[in-house]
Amino acid sequence: MLVFCFGEDRVALSLLDKRWLLDHFQDRVQFDEPMSRHTSFKVGGPADAVVAPESILELASLVHYCRRNGLPYLVVGDGTNIIVRDQGIRGVVILLTIGFNGIDRVEEKDDEVIIRGMAGARTRSLCRYAIRQALKGVNFALGIPGTIGGAIAGNAGTTQGSMSEVVDAIEVFEPSGNVVRYLKENLCFSYRRLSWKTTELPIILAGYFKLRRTDATQLKKEASEIMKSRLAKQPAGSPCAGCFFKNPSSGVSAGELIDRAGLKGESVGGAQVSFKHANFIINTGSATAEDVLLLMERIEKNVFRIFGLHLEPEVKILGY
Ligand code: EPU
């Protein structure tokens, strides 16, 4: 997921806004669209509008319109690392998964190959592409849900690696309307975070990944081992947002702390701490965003009471 917001002063779309959006995006705009359809948790109230631009020109005109008219907007990827509150999101949600999802090989040098992945392409597609092309570097991301844009914005990673280790450059759409490429040395990655010099992260359009040629059979073997270990340790099948909390810097993982606090299976409404991995909150079927947030608070309070440690959500909480 990646997010960039502007303004909060308007509360709903006017008829003129709706007309403009319909004229420009036809069946690629939905009004009062439940965000539960666009988040892996399957919770969340409606967004005033969800729009899927198909080109930079369309994206530019949408952002320009929103800024000129004081309409809040934000970009979401696959909604795999967000919780949208039950009252929903005011303004325009922009989806890049339809129009910005290509992956291609852009540069070759000795045994290095640069791959460009558009922000709306899935992280799993990037991993599969690299395996097909016998290129090493992104296997660590196998099984990380979501889009490339979201993975870069959150410096997604596992114990085997993180995006910051393979990103060579990124392309962003700046609020001024310019598309600018930033090399890795000018980017400020830290644990599960890409910080920006201004307070707002601009819209990420693409990532350039530096990968290395390798033996295809070895790469496939490594991939299947990673997937096997992930499936053995983490819940699959129930709606969730991956690991819910960041691992604290103290060294003990959030999953272990929550487990040791005796919270596996703890639930609020339809939200439950997974029995398989305690850092996963799952939606057992009928969860609301409020259930998830109440359970989150209960976990935070208990872990603080027992261990004196503050857990920080990795998942971003959006909306009203
Ligand atoms: N543990 C427990 N109980 C649990 C879960 C874990 O005691 O219920 C213990 C494990 O036994 C292990 C330690 O906690 O000793 C760490 O567990 P794990 O290997 O599962 O790694 P993690 O730190 O919980 C991180 C990433 C995952 C990634 C895995 C595997 C974070 C917050 N999480 O999990 O990423 O899949 O490593 O590499 O960094 C995600 O970001 O959505 C995500 C799931």
Side-chain angles (χ1 to χ4, degrees):
M1 182 235 24
L2 66 138
V3 182
F4 170 67
C5 279
F6 173 73
E8 293 283 351
D9 47 340
R10 291 269 300 264
V11 286
L13 301 184
S14 67
L15 279 176
L16 274 179
D17 296 329
K18 287 190 173 177
R19 168 60 44 214
W20 187 90
L21 288 166
L22 273 173
D23 284 349
H24 288 78
F25 296 96
Q26 297 92 36
D27 59 349
R28 287 176 291 116
V29 55
Q30 264 107 31
F31 298 110
D32 298 317
E33 171 72 359
M35 286 304 290
S36 52
R37 293 189 188 148
H38 299 277
T39 58
S40 58
F41 241 126
K42 308 273 177 255
V43 299
D48 289 338
V50 172
V51 185
E54 281 185 336
S55 66
I56 299 268
L57 269 181
E58 283 193 351
L59 177 66
S61 84
L62 178 58
V63 168
H64 180 70
Y65 182 87
C66 290
R67 293 181 78 84
R68 204 184 58 212
N69 294 284
L71 272 183
Y73 64 91
L74 73 138
V75 175
V76 306
D78 245 356
T80 55
N81 214 24
I82 55 174
I83 294 188
V84 176
R85 290 195 173 90
D86 297 316
Q87 287 71 34
I89 293 180
R90 303 288 70 82
V92 175
V93 168
I94 304 175
L95 296 184
L96 299 182
T97 39
I98 293 172
F100 298 81
N101 54 19
I103 298 178
D104 52 0
R105 227 168 148 119
V106 288
E107 211 181 302
E108 324 244 340
K109 207 164 60 178
D110 307 323
D111 68 336
E112 270 175 15
V113 178
I114 305 283
I115 299 296
R116 181 182 58 181
M118 300 302 289
R122 266 79 189 187
T123 314
R124 66 168 179 269
S125 309
L126 176 69
C127 297
R128 284 189 198 141
Y129 182 95
I131 291 171
R132 275 200 309 274
Q133 305 259 332
L135 297 171
K136 187 185 168 87
V138 279
N139 259 357
F140 75 86
L142 278 160
I144 294 185
T147 59
I148 290 176
I152 294 173
N155 190 15
T158 67
T159 41
Q160 282 103 21
S162 61
M163 296 312 272
S164 58
E165 291 159 42
V166 280
V167 165
D168 190 52
I170 65 172
E171 220 157 61
V172 303
F173 179 84
E174 301 209 311
S176 59
N178 295 326
V179 174
V180 182
R181 192 183 300 191
Y182 288 89
L183 298 178
K184 183 194 186 147
E185 50 266 35
N186 299 317
L187 297 174
C188 187
F189 282 111
S190 53
Y191 175 64
R192 302 291 176 268
R193 200 183 149 125
L194 168 60
S195 320
W196 210 252
K197 51 187 182 296
T198 52
T199 48
E200 296 158 343
L201 187 62
I203 295 173
I204 297 173
L205 291 175
Y208 291 77
F209 302 93
K210 193 186 273 185
L211 307 182
R212 280 180 190 282
R213 287 182 234 278
T214 190
D215 174 63
T217 315
Q218 183 57 31
L219 195 63
K220 277 189 199 147
K221 190 164 164 260
E222 185 191 270
S224 89
E225 276 160 15
I226 290 174
M227 283 310 289
K228 224 162 95 190
S229 134
R230 196 175 169 105
L231 283 171
K233 286 202 249 172
Q234 298 178 3
S238 305
C240 70
C243 278
F244 198 94
F245 295 99
K246 295 179 181 180
N247 282 335
S249 52
S250 66
V252 183
S253 74
E256 187 171 340
L257 291 169
I258 301 166
D259 190 354
R260 279 167 44 191
L263 293 169
K264 273 188 170 171
E266 185 76 11
S267 62
V268 174
Q272 186 184 57
V273 177
S274 163
F275 281 102
K276 202 162 183 184
H277 192 302
N279 197 10
F280 281 68
I281 295 180
I282 57 170
N283 177 355
T284 57
S286 58
T288 59
E290 197 185 357
D291 293 341
V292 177
L293 296 176
L294 287 172
L295 184 55
M296 172 189 87
E297 280 173 23
R298 193 179 292 175
I299 296 168
E300 286 170 350
K301 270 192 197 143
N302 276 283
V303 167
F304 184 71
R305 183 175 52 79
I306 299 169
F307 304 105
L309 287 169
H310 284 287
L311 288 180
E312 190 193 336
E314 182 179 314
V315 172
K316 303 241 169 9
I317 300 156
L318 303 175
Y320 292 89

